[in-house]
Structure formats: C-alpha cells, structure tokens
C-alpha cells in the first residue's frame, strides 16, 4: 500500500520487486487510478499477457487509455529488458481467474494465458521486440462508434506497424457500412474465427470470395438473410450438392439480378441441380457467371431449356469449363441462340 501511494518509489523499485507482488500491485494501482505506476508496471510486466478485460468496462475509455499508451515506450525501443515479457494485451472479459489467483481467491486458472511467473533475469539482457497483439471481442450494435471504439481505432492507426489487433469473434447487429469498414481495415482478418451479421435489413448485394467456412453449411448462412438479394456471388470455394439445393430453395434469391458461382466445382453434381436453381431466378436474372465450374456436357444440356426462359439475361459466361469440346460447345451455343 505504501508503494501504491508513492508513484516515484514504485517506479524505481519495479526492477527489484518479486514477480508475485506485481499483479496485486497492478490491481491496486488500476482501481486507484495511479497513472504513473500503471504505465511503469506495463513497461516492466513479467508475464506474456496482461488480461485487462476482467478489470475494465470496455464502453468507457477510463484508465484503459492510460494503459494503452504505456507500451509506447516499449514500441519506440528496438530492444528492451528481458523482465518485460508482455506480448499480448487481452481486452476480452476472460482474465478473472488470473486476478483472483493473485489476490488469493484462487490457486489455479492462469496457465492457459501464459500467465505462469517467469524466472527472474538480469535487466541488462536484451531481446528483440515482437509486435504487440491486442485481443478483443467486438459487438457492433450502434449507429455510431462509441467512445471506446473511436479511441481504439485512432490509437491503432497511429501504431499499425507495431500492433496487431486480433478479434476472434465479431458480431455486427446494426452499424453503417463505412464504420464497419473502418474496423475491418484495422483488425487482422485472419484472426477472425466467428462472424454473424444480424439485422441487415437493407442488404442487397452479397459477395463471398474464397470463403473457407461454407462447405456443407451454406443453409446456416442463408437462414440469416432477411432481405431479397439483387446480386449474389459465391466464388472460388468448395460447396456440396446439398449447398446448391439449399440455395435454390432460399426465398431471398427469387428476384436475383446477378448470380456468380465461378470457381465452384460442380462436375459431380446432379445435372438437375443447376436447372432447379436457375428456374428460381429465371424471371429477373440479368448476369450469370459459371466460369471454371467443371460443368459437364449433361449439365449444360440440362440448363439450356431454362436459359431460354431467362428473358432478362444480358451476360452469360461459361469460360474455362473443360468438360465439353470446342465442336460440341459451338453446337450448344447455336441451340441457345435459336
């Protein structure tokens, strides 16, 4: 308690304090808003991760701003003391077990966070500084960015070369597209493991290029659609025959103007699948792209009758489908043009 009250004293004593004292000291400094102590402790944090989410109320910047600015000294250095092991700031609400363990309320629950105490090492030993990772779960549900997100995006923009913002779970309820794009341009997209887009009442165009998560579960994504789509592109990925069946049964595509399934290999699909799908959109379809789908002779023959019913169709691409030869392709196009 004496250290917490004396900022200058704790800053000079950090190099000599036992590791076990730093977490309870950090908690007292955080709740007491001892800013100088907080900044000094972040710069000497002897654990891989600092789990702040269990201590703060994220919608409010509060002391978080002071903690986020503390690593600036570390980021400005090419090397730093080996006592500082900090590589991750975790803003998710997942670190309660760490703080309760150090407060004496628990005796386990920290190993999965890389929280085990590290061996004391000489402060004169140096190591290269790796990029700092910020872990967060984002739930975008307001029409405007709140104070926390506004501050975080500005903070990240100024440090994007040395900070990686990792968001494993992203939920979007209702937010202007420009604000969503600001956030997606900041987050490391390969860290995202789970997304659901909710309440997109005005969605008209949906483009999914090379998604790795759709095979066998396209019906789950389609179940979240609430509007009639104008354009749908699902390209360069693997889908099952049942995926296309679910797509043909989806009521949200009945007024589709553009359909792009290029790069979806359909060689082994039943010829009727494409026919049924095109039947659902024949009245409104203007653009159809089936490039590089491995479409066979029998599949092409199956869709010719329904293509003749697509009275609005203006663009149709069937390039690089290797299963029908040049002569037969000319014959089929002649039939189609008639």
């Amino acid at each position: 308690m004496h250290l917490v009250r004396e900022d200058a004293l704790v800053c000079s004593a950090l190099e000599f304090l036992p590791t076990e004292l730093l977490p309870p000291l950090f908690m007292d400094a955080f709740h007491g808003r001892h800013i100088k102590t907080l900044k000094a402790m972040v710069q000497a944090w002897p654990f891989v991760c600092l789990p702040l989410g269990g201590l703060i109320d994220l919608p409010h910047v509060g002391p978080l701003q002071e903690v986020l600015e503390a690593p600036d000294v570390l980021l400005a250095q090419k090397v730093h003391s080996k006592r500082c092991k900090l590589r991750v700031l975790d803003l998710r609400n997942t670190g309660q077990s760490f703080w309760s363990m150090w407060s004496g309320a628990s005796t386990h629950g920290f190993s999965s966070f890389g929280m085990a105490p590290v061996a004391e090492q000489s402060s004169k030993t140096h190591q290269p500084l790796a990029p700092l990772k910020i872990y967060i779960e984002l739930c975008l549900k307001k029409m405007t960015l709140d104070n926390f997100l506004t501050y975080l995006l500005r903070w990240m923009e100024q440090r994007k070369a040395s900070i990686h913002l990792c968001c494993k779970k992203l939920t979007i309820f209702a937010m202007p597209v420009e604000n969503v794009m600001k956030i997606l341009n900041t987050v490391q997209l390969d860290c995202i493991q789970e997304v659901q887009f909710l309440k997109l009442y005005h969605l008209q165009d949906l483009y999914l290029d090379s998604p790795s998560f759709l095979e066998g579960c396209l019906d789950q994504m389609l179940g979240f659609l609430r509007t009639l789509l104008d354009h749908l592109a699902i390209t360069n990925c693997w889908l099952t025959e049942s995926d296309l069946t679910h797509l043909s049964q989806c009521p949200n595509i009945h007024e589709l103007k553009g359909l792009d399934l290029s790069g979806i290999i359909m060689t082994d699909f039943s010829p009727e699948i494409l026919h049924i799908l095109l039947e659902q959109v024949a009245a409104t379809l203007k653009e159809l792209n089936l490039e590089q789908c491995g479409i066979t002779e029998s599949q092409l023959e199956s869709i010719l009758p329904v293509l003749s019913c697509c009275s609005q169709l203006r663009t149709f691409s069937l390039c690089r489908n290797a299963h029908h030869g040049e002569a037969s392709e000319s014959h089929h196009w002649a039939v189609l043009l008639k």
Side-chain angles (χ1 to χ4, degrees):
M1 295 305 298
H2 179 61
L3 286 174
V4 170
R5 289 192 297 266
E6 299 291 339
D7 284 335
L9 180 60
V10 73
C11 292
S12 62
L14 281 176
E15 288 290 334
F16 310 101
L17 287 177
T19 298
E20 291 77 10
L21 286 183
L22 267 68
L25 182 62
F26 187 92
M27 282 190 288
D28 289 338
F30 189 90
H31 294 302
R33 302 294 298 272
H34 296 276
I35 304 305
K36 287 186 179 179
T37 299
L38 279 178
K39 288 185 175 181
M41 293 191 71
V42 171
Q43 294 161 15
W45 193 243
F47 304 93
V48 174
C49 180
L50 177 55
L52 292 171
L55 296 180
I56 58 179
D57 184 11
L58 277 184
H60 306 286
V61 178
L64 174 63
Q65 180 172 346
E66 310 298 338
V67 175
L68 286 179
E69 291 178 356
D72 282 347
V73 175
L74 299 176
L75 297 175
Q77 300 171 350
K78 294 183 179 180
V79 293
H80 63 87
S81 167
K82 264 195 174 181
R83 174 147 204 201
C84 180
K85 293 287 186 178
L86 184 62
R87 294 295 179 270
V88 175
L89 287 178
D90 195 341
L91 305 184
R92 300 170 297 179
N93 194 24
T94 54
Q96 293 89 338
S97 59
F98 172 78
W99 300 110
S100 60
M101 184 273 296
W102 288 109
S103 67
S106 174
T107 57
H108 57 83
F110 56 85
S111 59
S112 64
F113 278 89
M115 293 299 186
V118 297
E120 294 294 339
Q121 298 172 350
S122 170
S123 62
K124 296 181 180 179
T125 306
H126 293 81
Q127 61 183 1
L129 181 63
L132 185 67
K133 292 185 177 180
I134 311 292
Y135 278 97
I136 190 172
E137 287 185 356
L138 291 173
C139 182
L140 311 179
K141 57 183 179 180
K142 295 182 180 179
M143 294 304 295
T144 57
L145 295 174
D146 58 30
N147 290 338
F148 167 68
L149 279 179
T150 300
Y151 171 76
L152 183 64
L153 293 178
R154 184 171 62 247
W155 185 84
M156 285 293 305
E157 179 63 27
Q158 296 169 352
R159 300 161 178 84
K160 57 185 177 182
S162 51
I163 298 286
H164 290 169
L165 185 62
C166 301
C167 175
K168 292 188 175 182
K169 183 176 181 180
L170 174 63
T171 304
I172 303 173
F173 281 92
M175 180 172 279
V177 173
E178 59 269 22
N179 287 343
V180 174
M181 293 302 296
K182 285 180 184 178
I183 294 167
L184 293 181
N185 286 333
T186 304
V187 173
Q188 294 290 116
L189 296 180
D190 56 352
C191 290
I192 299 177
Q193 297 179 354
E194 180 180 346
V195 181
Q196 291 182 359
F197 291 87
L198 304 176
K199 297 185 179 179
L200 296 180
Y201 296 131
H202 305 288
L203 181 66
Q204 293 178 307
D205 304 328
L206 180 59
Y207 300 91
L208 299 170
D209 182 46
S210 304
S212 59
F213 50 84
L214 282 184
E215 184 179 8
C217 57
L218 181 61
D219 59 320
Q220 297 180 36
M221 187 203 75
L222 297 174
F224 287 105
L225 294 177
R226 297 292 180 265
T227 59
L228 288 171
L229 295 177
D230 283 344
H231 295 84
L232 173 63
I234 303 176
T235 59
N236 302 310
C237 68
W238 293 99
L239 293 182
T240 66
E241 189 171 297
S242 63
D243 286 327
L244 281 194
T245 300
H246 288 300
L247 181 59
S248 66
Q249 296 170 349
C250 178
N252 306 83
I253 69 164
H254 287 174
E255 296 183 9
L256 212 58
K257 297 180 178 66
L259 177 62
D260 185 352
L261 297 177
S262 57
I264 307 295
I265 302 302
M266 307 181 191
T267 306
D268 297 325
F269 292 1
S270 168
E272 290 76 25
I273 293 294
L274 266 179
H275 180 100
I276 295 171
L277 175 58
L278 294 177
E279 253 185 348
Q280 305 305 311
V281 298
T284 58
L285 194 64
K286 294 183 177 180
E287 301 172 7
L288 177 61
N289 189 340
L290 297 177
E291 293 185 8
Q292 291 183 293
C293 293
I295 290 176
T296 64
E297 192 87 9
S298 59
Q299 288 171 327
L300 183 58
E301 289 176 349
S302 176
I303 66 174
L304 286 177
V306 71
L307 283 175
S308 66
C309 298
C310 296
S311 58
Q312 304 295 316
L313 191 62
R314 296 294 179 268
T315 303
F316 175 33
S317 181
L318 198 64
C319 298
R320 295 188 291 275
N321 281 274
H323 290 276
H324 46 85
E326 195 172 307
S328 61
E329 185 178 357
S330 300
H331 166 70
H332 283 301
W333 278 112
V335 172
L336 178 60
L337 291 174
K338 288 179 183 179

